Amino acid sequence: MKSNCLAGLVLATLGYACTAQASWDEKYWNPKPLPDDVILPMPCEGAMAFRKVAIPLDKPLEDYNVTLGQEGDEWGYLEQSRQEHIAGSFAGDGKEKGRYYLIAKYELSDLQAHAINGECAAPDMKGRLPKVSLGWMGAMELANKYNLWLRKEKPEALPKDDGQPGFVRLPTETEWEFAARGGLAVSPSEFRDQRFPMPEGLNGYVWFAGAQSANGKLQLSGLLKPNPLGLYDILGNAAEMMFEPFRLNKLDRQHGKAGGYVVRGGSFLTPQGDIRTSLRGEEPYYAGKDENANKTIGMRFVLVSPTLTSRDRIKEIEKEWQSLGSEKKTAAQKTPTDSLQNLNAISEKVQDDGLKKQLEQLRSELRANNQLRDEQRDQAVRTSLQLGAFLCTKMKDDGEFYDRLTQLYEKTCAAGSAVDANCSRRQEQLDQHKKALDFITSYYADTVVDMGTTYSKEIIAPQITVVQQQLAARGKTNLNGYLNTWWDNLQGYLKNGKVTRDAWLAACKQNN
């Protein structure tokens, strides 16, 4: 038995009882362990498992554009699709690029909630039930207690950003939905589906209403299969509280009124047809004379970091902010054509204060439009890069198949030999595949030429790293070689202006 006792003053401050408690068996808090789980210690010799959610950008002001919600009028005032942005809290370690935040692998359990409150009960299977019937204020109190315990007892366990330790809280809607949809681990089209990929059907991943599923009862965490990021019960079982207040959707923006708190994901009482990743609803903070506590609503923590962590970080942010929306010089320009600088020069000569304010507003709008343009351009570049890598794989497969057909034809039908009575058919088949190979090779060449004439090397190069991270997150690291081949071919074209289809085909065929 290990003692989990703290000094008396600390105990009194945090409200913990002095008990002796054995470490929890992993089956009670992480029944489906994975090698890359991130484990955070808890009171009572317990633990909580988290999963990394990767974001393929690493500068302080860089954030990743995502489309959340769903199209359609039926629930548009709640769930209409919208553009959001997300960034990571912590820098990747070692070979990892980009940033990430952490989200709990399972919904907070009864056992874990008791531990945070200092109630060190003996672990049992019933303790794996999600903690429900707790209000939003109570959830915030649990997060606060857990943070204080971690900082006093296990500060070394907290990941750090710029030297500052992270902290747990409820997730924002963007953090939750990005992770629930599968983040970078799914393709863009899968990300926009109503649910994350479920090869074995909804029943294998979600507890919902009905005798064929939850049958009206809350279920133990981790019994079904996870989403592509390794998150269990992200849909169904217990609905999950969000950090921010509820707002209606007003087409292109959120409505001005902030109401109760947001709940996401549906519960064990949600009908099967309503289970979707975009599902969101409002819960009041209070019911009657008491805090609202619903038997269908639980929570899932995220582990994130502060933003303004040091003077050096603030200086870095200020520098990056000043460059947002600027019209940067390209390799083909001796000087940048900067409308913002021209506008500044005009503003300096204006004496009228009202006109100065209008010019400053115009300058801010121009910067914002330029920044949006740059983000859309970068997204288009990343999409083209992924297409180029895929076409390279297609060229390799088609090229190798054509080579095999050619070898077979030469072996059986060469020099007019009638070894094979099907030579005429084989010749026709060979001709058809030559046309298909020529088509895909020309299409590949078009992407190289189009990128080379539309974007500069300076614009494309930073997106190579981003696409590599996207492919790695989806388990497609085998495509990185093809991406590098495409990039080499493009750089060759930029250098000499020659379209060398045969050489590009040969380069793609050399990938393993």
Side-chain angles (χ1 to χ4, degrees), residues 55 82 97 193 215 226 256 270 327 337 364 382 389 469 478:
I55 309 295
R82 63 200 182 278
K97 299 176 182 177
D193 283 341
N215 199 25
T270 301
E327 297 177 4
T337 302
S364 297
R382 292 196 289 266
Q469 293 175 65
N478 59 305

Side-chain angles (χ1 to χ4, degrees), residues 19-253:
T19 61
Q21 180 68 33
S23 298
W24 296 352
D25 190 296
E26 192 174 27
K27 66 183 179 182
Y28 296 119
W29 57 274
N30 190 16
K32 305 289 180 62
L34 291 171
D36 56 345
D37 288 340
V38 177
I39 308 303
L40 210 60
M42 297 193 74
C44 305
E45 300 297 335
M48 184 180 296
F50 287 81
R51 300 290 297 164
K52 287 185 177 181
V53 183
I55 309 295
L57 301 166
D58 55 15
K59 293 182 180 178
L61 277 183
E62 285 185 324
D63 50 10
Y64 191 68
N65 179 274
V66 293
T67 301
L68 304 180
Q70 68 170 15
E71 292 75 20
D73 294 333
E74 184 178 4
W75 301 102
Y77 62 93
L78 292 172
E79 302 171 16
Q80 181 65 31
S81 62
R82 63 200 182 278
Q83 295 294 306
E84 298 287 355
H85 293 80
I86 190 165
S89 289
F90 308 102
D93 300 324
K95 295 182 179 180
E96 290 185 14
K97 299 176 182 177
R99 298 177 71 82
Y100 65 91
Y101 64 96
L102 293 158
I103 186 167
K105 187 174 178 178
Y106 311 93
E107 292 166 333
L108 184 77
S109 70
D110 270 333
L111 177 64
Q112 290 168 330
H114 282 302
I116 292 173
N117 283 322
E119 302 164 4
C120 298
D124 58 24
M125 294 305 291
K126 188 177 178 181
R128 273 175 50 187
L129 286 169
K131 175 62 180 176
V132 294
S133 300
L134 185 71
W136 189 88
M137 304 296 176
M140 295 296 290
E141 183 180 357
L142 278 179
N144 183 51
K145 284 185 176 182
Y146 190 19
N147 281 315
L148 292 175
W149 183 86
L150 284 165
R151 286 170 174 264
K152 289 179 172 64
E153 281 294 290
K154 302 289 183 180
E156 71 284 352
L158 287 168
K160 293 180 173 60
D161 180 47
D162 194 30
Q164 296 298 314
F167 60 95
V168 298
R169 59 162 166 76
L170 295 177
T172 66
E173 285 201 77
T174 301
E175 290 165 345
W176 184 92
E177 189 170 335
F178 181 75
R181 288 181 176 273
L184 299 181
V186 297
S187 69
S189 60
E190 290 170 332
F191 187 88
R192 291 300 301 141
D193 283 341
Q194 283 198 338
R195 307 178 187 120
F196 59 82
M198 299 180 180
E200 299 183 22
L202 184 66
N203 290 69
Y205 299 81
V206 181
W207 294 112
F208 52 86
Q212 75 276 31
S213 184
N215 199 25
K217 295 180 180 179
L218 188 67
Q219 303 293 322
L220 300 182
S221 293
L223 293 179
L224 300 181
K225 294 187 176 298
N227 86 337
L229 287 179
L231 304 176
Y232 289 83
D233 303 310
I234 194 75
L235 300 181
N237 210 22
E240 298 178 14
M241 306 179 195
M242 300 294 106
F243 184 70
E244 65 262 64
F246 175 87
R247 295 175 186 267
L248 292 169
N249 185 294
K250 198 171 181 181
L251 292 180
D252 63 336
R253 62 178 175 84

Side-chain angles (χ1 to χ4, degrees), residues 12 21 63 76 97 117 137 150 156 158 226 236 256 261 270 311 332 351 366-367 383-384 412 431 444 482 484 502:
Q21 180 68 33
D63 50 10
K97 299 176 182 177
N117 283 322
M137 304 296 176
L150 284 165
E156 71 284 352
L158 287 168
Y261 63 88
T270 301
R311 289 184 179 181
Q351 301 298 319
L366 182 59
R367 287 185 66 193
T383 300
S384 295
T412 57
D431 292 342
Y444 178 90
Y482 298 97
N484 292 335
D502 290 342

Side-chain angles (χ1 to χ4, degrees), residues 308-325:
L308 304 177
T309 48
S310 68
R311 289 184 179 181
D312 288 342
R313 176 61 60 82
I314 292 173
K315 288 180 180 179
E316 187 180 359
I317 291 171
E318 287 176 345
K319 183 178 180 181
E320 190 179 348
W321 190 88
Q322 292 293 340
S323 70
L324 291 178

